[in-house]
């Protein structure tokens, strides 16, 4: 009888971030506040973009979907984390664990490609401004969006196929605050070498292609900016892509730090800090980055508020 025939676990135990009741309460309050800001910020960004006609541009079309993805993948992990911290309910069913894992992979991979597509959008806006609307047509934007979701689905589907072949028989304790691939792989009593290679190839390809697109876009942007003679022109060019560059740096930086190493080396500590940052903090930062650093969004918010005040004053 091989180890494959040992009874499957019916649920997992998420060890979470800490066992200290005082720290759990502090973290729960902090994460709840961050999650509320995430929801309000991203929903607000989506509403402003759709309510203000002057933001009806390719850049803001893509940005509205970035906000949707941030809201969605934050909602995949944060509520369960809050439940874990508040009630000490560390159990998650086998099915719910893998649903959470695969939705997270789908949304994160989609966002990865969407961010690289937004870099291409900034490249066209700065390097080819006269043909911007022709290049970034509605059809092109919809194709970019469809391609991003398709890549996310493919990564998630591959993960489903790989994880469905695993067997868990020695332990059901996940040393993490959500069901992520590396800590779950370490629990399997099956040989995970081939599965790790397949997952790494697909995830690595997604990240590598995205980074190539982002890097190539910003090299071309920098080359164009260096040719600009006026100081005001340089400032406008930098302000056009500064928000996106900051968002890209935060997202890719924490993702690479977390996943660019073998799953067996996964442990508590630094991995958790990075994971908290890109799963809980980053979705909150993106709408703040794009709203606080963007005059167009601020002006759009004023116009939307004035429109709402207008009908009230007439009454």
């Amino acid at each position: 009888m091989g180890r494959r025939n040992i009874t499957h676990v019916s649920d997992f135990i998420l060890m979470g971030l800490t066992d200290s009741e005082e720290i759990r309460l502090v973290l729960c309050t902090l994460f709840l506040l961050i999650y509320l800001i995430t929801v309000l910020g991203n929903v607000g960004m989506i509403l402003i973009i759709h309510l203000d006609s002057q933001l009806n541009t390719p850049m803001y079309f893509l940005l509205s979907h970035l906000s949707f993805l941030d809201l969605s993948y934050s909602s995949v992990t944060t509520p369960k984390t809050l439940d874990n911290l508040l009630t000490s309910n560390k159990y998650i069913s086998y099915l719910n664990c893998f649903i959470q894992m695969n939705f997270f992979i789908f949304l994160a991979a989609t966002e990865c490609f969407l961010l690289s597509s937004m870099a291409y959008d900034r490249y066209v806006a700065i390097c080819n401004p006269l043909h911007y609307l022709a290049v970034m047509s509605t059809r092109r934007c919809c194709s970019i969006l469809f391609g991003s979701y398709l890549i996310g689905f493919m990564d998630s589907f591959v993960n489903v196929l790989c994880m469905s072949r695993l067997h868990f028989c020695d332990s059901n304790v996940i040393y993490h605050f959500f069901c992520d691939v590396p800590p779950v792989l370490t629990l399997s009593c099956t040989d995970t070498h081939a599965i790790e290679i397949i997952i790494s190839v697909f995830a690595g390809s997604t990240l590598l292609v995205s980074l190539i697109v982002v890097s190539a876009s910003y090299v071309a942007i920098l080359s164009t900016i260096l040719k600009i003679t006026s100081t005001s022109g340089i400032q406008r060019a930098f302000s056009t892509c500064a928000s996106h560059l900051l968002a890209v740096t935060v997202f890719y930086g924490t993702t690479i730090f977390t996943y660019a190493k073998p799953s067996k080396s996964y442990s508590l500590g630094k991995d958790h800090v990075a994971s908290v940052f890109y799963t809980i903090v980053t979705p909150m930062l993106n709408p703040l980055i794009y709203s606080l650093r963007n005059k167009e969004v601020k002006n759009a918010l004023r116009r939307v508020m004035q429109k709402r005040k207008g009908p009230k004053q007439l009454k």
Side-chain angles (χ1 to χ4, degrees):
M1 299 279 295
R3 297 180 76 186
R4 277 174 168 261
N5 294 329
I6 299 177
T7 306
H8 292 284
V9 298
S10 59
D11 51 34
F12 292 105
I13 300 173
L14 291 169
M15 290 305 294
L17 295 166
T18 179
D19 291 326
S20 170
E21 187 174 345
E22 293 78 10
I23 298 176
R24 284 209 316 268
L25 184 60
V26 172
L27 289 176
C28 183
T29 305
L30 178 62
F31 290 171
L32 178 60
L33 179 61
I34 291 174
Y35 184 61
L36 291 175
I37 295 173
T38 300
V39 172
L40 292 174
N42 285 291
V43 170
M45 185 66 74
I46 293 170
L47 288 176
I48 290 170
I49 291 170
H50 284 280
L51 291 175
D52 190 83
S53 58
Q54 293 188 35
L55 296 185
N56 187 21
T57 64
M59 172 186 170
Y60 289 104
F61 172 77
L62 297 176
L63 180 55
S64 66
H65 284 276
L66 177 66
S67 293
F68 170 74
L69 289 171
D70 279 335
L71 177 63
S72 299
Y73 94 76
S74 175
S75 298
V76 166
T77 57
T78 308
K80 179 58 184 174
T81 303
L82 291 173
D83 179 54
N84 188 319
L85 290 169
L86 189 62
T87 65
S88 299
N89 176 24
K90 297 185 177 183
Y91 286 92
I92 183 170
S93 70
Y94 181 92
L95 179 61
N96 286 339
C97 182
F98 282 91
I99 288 175
Q100 183 188 61
M101 181 194 303
N102 288 295
F103 265 102
F104 181 78
I105 291 171
F106 166 65
L107 294 165
T110 302
E111 176 157 341
C112 192
F113 254 80
L114 187 62
L115 281 169
S116 65
S117 301
M118 292 174 72
Y120 172 74
D121 171 79
R122 294 299 83 207
Y123 156 73
V124 177
I126 293 173
C127 301
N128 197 7
L130 297 178
H131 298 93
Y132 175 67
L133 292 178
V135 175
M136 297 300 295
S137 61
T138 302
R139 184 175 181 179
R140 177 69 61 84
C141 288
C142 290
S143 298
I144 287 172
L145 193 63
F146 175 76
S148 298
Y149 280 102
L150 181 61
I151 293 297
F153 174 78
M154 288 174 60
D155 278 356
S156 179
F157 183 69
V158 168
N159 191 73
V160 169
L161 291 179
C162 290
M163 288 296 185
S164 65
R165 301 177 63 85
L166 296 181
H167 297 267
F168 302 92
C169 44
D170 294 332
S171 173
N172 66 337
V173 179
I174 299 175
Y175 291 95
H176 206 2
F177 61 93
F178 76 101
C179 291
D180 200 5
V181 175
V184 171
L185 278 174
T186 61
L187 298 182
S188 177
C189 53
T190 322
D191 181 14
T192 61
H193 182 66
I195 291 175
E196 284 186 54
I197 291 175
I198 295 171
I199 292 175
S200 297
V201 166
F202 274 86
S205 299
T206 300
L207 189 60
L208 182 61
V209 172
S210 299
L211 283 172
I212 289 173
V213 173
V214 171
S215 300
S217 297
Y218 276 104
V219 166
I221 288 170
L222 183 60
S223 176
T224 301
I225 290 175
L226 292 175
K227 296 175 184 177
I228 299 174
T229 54
S230 66
T231 305
S232 60
I234 293 175
Q235 289 176 343
R236 277 199 306 272
F238 271 118
S239 65
T240 301
C241 55
S243 298
H244 176 262
L245 189 57
L246 183 57
V248 163
T249 302
V250 171
F251 182 83
Y252 285 107
T254 52
T255 302
I256 291 172
F257 177 84
T258 304
Y259 296 108
K261 56 183 181 294
S263 65
K264 296 298 181 184
S265 69
Y266 197 92
S267 61
L268 293 168
K270 293 181 180 179
D271 296 302
H272 278 183
V273 174
S275 297
V276 165
F277 208 81
Y278 75 80
T279 57
I280 298 175
V281 179
T282 302
M284 175 195 70
L285 290 179
N286 281 343
L288 295 178
I289 290 170
Y290 279 100
S291 59
L292 295 178
R293 294 184 56 86
N294 195 313
K295 290 182 180 179
E296 289 182 345
V297 174
K298 292 178 182 177
N299 292 334
L301 179 58
R302 292 191 191 99
R303 287 192 295 269
V304 170
M305 296 301 292
Q306 286 172 358
K307 285 180 182 178
R308 290 184 61 85
K309 288 180 181 178
K312 290 181 179 179
Q313 290 174 351
L314 289 174
K315 291 179 181 180

